[in-house]
Amino acid sequence: MRNPSDHFLRCINADFDKVKATLKGSMKMRFERSDDPLEHITTSDAIRRLFSYYQHSQHYLTARQKVDEMARVKGTVLDAGGSQASFGMQACTLTKRSFVNMSRDFGYYWLRLVIYIVVTVCIGSIYLNVGTKYNSILARGACASFIFGFVTFMSIGGFPSFVEDMKVFQRERLNGHYGVLAFVISNTLSAMPFLILITFLSGTLCYFMVRLHPGFMHYVFFVLCLYASVTVVESLMMAIASIIPNFLMGIIIGAGIQGIFMLVSGYFRLPHDIPKPFWRYPMSYISFHYWALQQGQYQNDLVGLVFDNQDEELPKIPGEYILENVFQIDVSRSKWLDLSVLFGMIVIYRLLFFAMIKVSEDVTPWVRGYIARRRVQHKRREAELAMIRTPSLRGYVVDAAPELPADHP
């Protein structure tokens, strides 16, 4: 009833003989009778018996035959590393394993799903049936800003799990089990169903509780935009995890990057008021919040709606006017183009994740070798300085005593 590998390791490990010799005179060993055959045989006898059985087995003959075939081949370099599985098999196996791991780990996606649902229910209850009154203009903007800013911000909670995945990948990558591209593709595919589930459930609750723009295509755009934003954050955190193994530092860096992206998204500071050239170009265009919130969801929600004015006698305000004059948004650009930019960012961040792993594989050994060489040179220099400061007595020359004057006492 043992694991076979544990059984045979116990058979050939001489340390157990010392343990048995130590416990031989104890009360437990004196009064208990063990049925384990290994208690009545020494390690040397077990090794001798295993060796004898192996020499008369078919495994020994097969191995000898293969060794003789290799010995007859001259001038051929044997391939000793790498996986024999095809790229498709590697990606498929890694996807299945990663999916099982994510489904069994409660903190990977299930806890985030619960938190997302709780937060979106809170948003829906606060902005419940927001309507088209004059005050609802800024309320709709604030609701969309919170959803695509702070809700997607919570995706950094999966960073510790990303770090654990990277540790497993690095160990298996050193053993040559699979390539970097197979790992990146499998990680992307295995996470996709969970992210779709999270964004679909939470987005649906929020959309219909707040009563955003009616229409099926508007709802589809909202869910797709939320999915793209969450996936972009996941891709960004995976890229950070590839170079920063400390999950606390990674969360701090990821939170700082997202904070900067939210700052130039166009809500806290209107697009035309963002200082140029650095913050407006290129930072606001690099920010995925800018495309998801300012260029995407605002158009999706406001175009086609008509809002009440401050005074009932004044004419109603169309959503296009609000977009151009209040939120400073170019309505001539399609919202679907903005959504395609978000999906393009997903691809870019995944490629960045791939590139960082490849660079880390090449640069890290060189950096470690350089540091090791500098330490060796430093130690050698310290040893040389120590020899100069403490020379041997053999190198000293004893000067003759100085001549004293004749009248010296």
Side-chain angles (χ1 to χ4, degrees):
M1 303 302 294
R2 273 200 190 92
N3 185 298
S5 60
D6 293 339
H7 167 75
F8 287 108
L9 283 173
R10 187 185 176 200
C11 289
I12 64 175
N13 193 348
D15 293 338
F16 288 101
D17 289 343
K18 300 176 184 179
V19 176
K20 286 187 288 186
T22 303
L23 298 177
K24 204 165 189 181
S26 66
M27 299 295 293
K28 184 177 179 180
M29 294 291 291
R30 188 177 301 171
F31 293 103
E32 287 188 7
R33 186 172 182 178
S34 176
D35 295 331
D36 189 355
L38 292 177
E39 298 292 343
H40 309 290
I41 186 174
T42 62
T43 303
S44 58
D45 292 337
I47 293 175
R48 193 181 304 111
R49 188 175 298 182
L50 287 171
F51 185 68
S52 175
Y53 277 113
Y54 176 72
Q55 279 189 319
H56 297 85
S57 67
Q58 185 64 33
H59 299 287
Y60 175 78
L61 298 177
T62 304
R64 288 300 308 171
Q65 182 180 1
K66 185 157 288 193
V67 169
D68 293 339
E69 291 176 0
M70 293 178 179
R72 286 194 293 268
V73 179
K74 302 297 183 182
T76 302
V77 178
L78 299 178
D79 185 11
S83 174
Q84 301 300 318
S86 63
F87 174 80
M89 179 62 69
Q90 293 177 11
C92 182
T93 303
L94 288 173
T95 302
K96 290 180 180 178
R97 188 184 70 172
S98 182
F99 182 82
V100 171
N101 180 40
M102 292 175 181
S103 62
R104 291 177 178 176
D105 188 355
F106 180 74
Y108 212 123
Y109 284 114
W110 299 120
L111 180 60
R112 290 162 60 186
L113 174 61
V114 174
I115 299 299
Y116 265 68
I117 291 176
V118 171
V119 172
T120 50
V121 168
C122 294
I123 296 173
S125 60
I126 291 175
Y127 294 97
L128 185 65
N129 195 9
V130 68
T132 56
K133 297 180 180 179
Y134 181 78
N135 294 333
S136 66
I137 297 175
L138 294 180
R140 286 175 179 267
C143 178
S145 174
F146 189 88
I147 293 171
F148 289 94
F150 295 98
V151 172
T152 56
F153 187 86
M154 293 188 299
S155 295
I156 65 175
F159 187 80
S161 300
F162 301 157
V163 173
E164 295 301 322
D165 286 347
M166 288 302 303
K167 290 179 180 178
V168 175
F169 162 74
Q170 291 169 358
R171 182 174 64 251
E172 294 178 344
R173 173 64 176 158
L174 291 175
N175 292 329
H177 294 331
Y178 49 83
V180 179
L181 184 59
F183 171 72
V184 174
I185 292 176
S186 66
N187 182 271
T188 304
L189 295 178
S190 59
M192 189 179 299
F194 296 99
L195 294 178
I196 292 174
L197 178 64
I198 289 174
T199 53
F200 175 78
L201 292 179
S202 59
T204 301
L205 286 171
C206 182
Y207 193 89
F208 289 103
M209 289 182 70
V210 179
R211 298 284 184 89
L212 296 174
H213 197 298
F216 179 73
M217 293 308 297
H218 291 275
Y219 162 71
V220 170
F221 181 90
F222 176 79
V223 174
L224 288 176
C225 194
L226 185 59
Y227 166 77
S229 301
V230 173
T231 308
V232 167
V233 177
E234 288 241 332
S235 303
L236 171 64
M237 298 308 293
M238 288 297 294
I240 295 174
S242 63
I243 57 175
I244 300 177
N246 188 300
F247 72 89
L248 183 59
M249 291 179 58
I251 289 177
I252 294 173
I253 293 174
I257 293 174
Q258 288 198 68
I260 295 174
F261 284 170
M262 283 191 291
L263 192 60
V264 294
S265 64
Y267 176 76
F268 299 98
R269 184 78 166 164
L270 292 176
H272 295 170
D273 298 332
I274 297 176
K276 301 176 182 178
F278 178 73
W279 293 112
R280 180 73 185 276
Y281 313 107
M283 286 305 298
S284 63
Y285 288 88
I286 296 175
S287 169
F288 69 92
H289 297 89
Y290 177 80
W291 300 97
L293 173 65
Q294 189 74 14
Q295 296 296 325
Q297 177 54 28
Y298 279 0
Q299 291 192 53
N300 181 61
D301 188 38
L302 297 180
V303 171
L305 294 181
V306 178
F307 295 87
D308 297 335
N309 212 317
Q310 281 183 304
D311 193 346
E312 295 181 356
E313 298 179 356
L314 295 175
K316 293 184 178 294
I317 307 174
E320 291 81 357
Y321 178 85
I322 296 171
L323 289 173
E324 291 181 346
N325 296 277
V326 178
F327 294 115
Q328 300 178 359
I329 296 175
D330 183 13
V331 295
S332 62
R333 185 166 53 205
S334 173
K335 63 181 181 181
W336 298 103
L337 178 61
D338 303 327
L339 183 62
S340 65
V341 172
L342 284 176
F343 281 97
M345 285 186 174
I346 296 174
V347 177
I348 292 173
Y349 277 119
R350 289 290 170 172
L351 292 176
L352 181 64
F353 176 41
F354 173 82
M356 283 184 172
I357 295 177
K358 297 295 289 185
V359 170
S360 179
E361 288 183 350
D362 297 334
V363 173
T364 302
W366 182 85
V367 172
R368 290 178 177 175
Y370 176 77
I371 294 174
R373 289 193 298 271
R374 289 297 301 269
R375 287 179 178 177
V376 170
Q377 293 175 1
H378 182 69
K379 293 292 184 182
R380 190 178 299 167
R381 192 177 299 112
E382 286 184 349
E384 292 175 356
L385 291 175
M387 291 178 65
I388 294 173
R389 290 170 184 167
T390 57
S392 62
L393 294 176
R394 191 177 300 172
Y396 282 106
V397 177
V398 181
D399 296 333
E403 294 184 359
L404 299 175
D407 59 347
H408 192 276

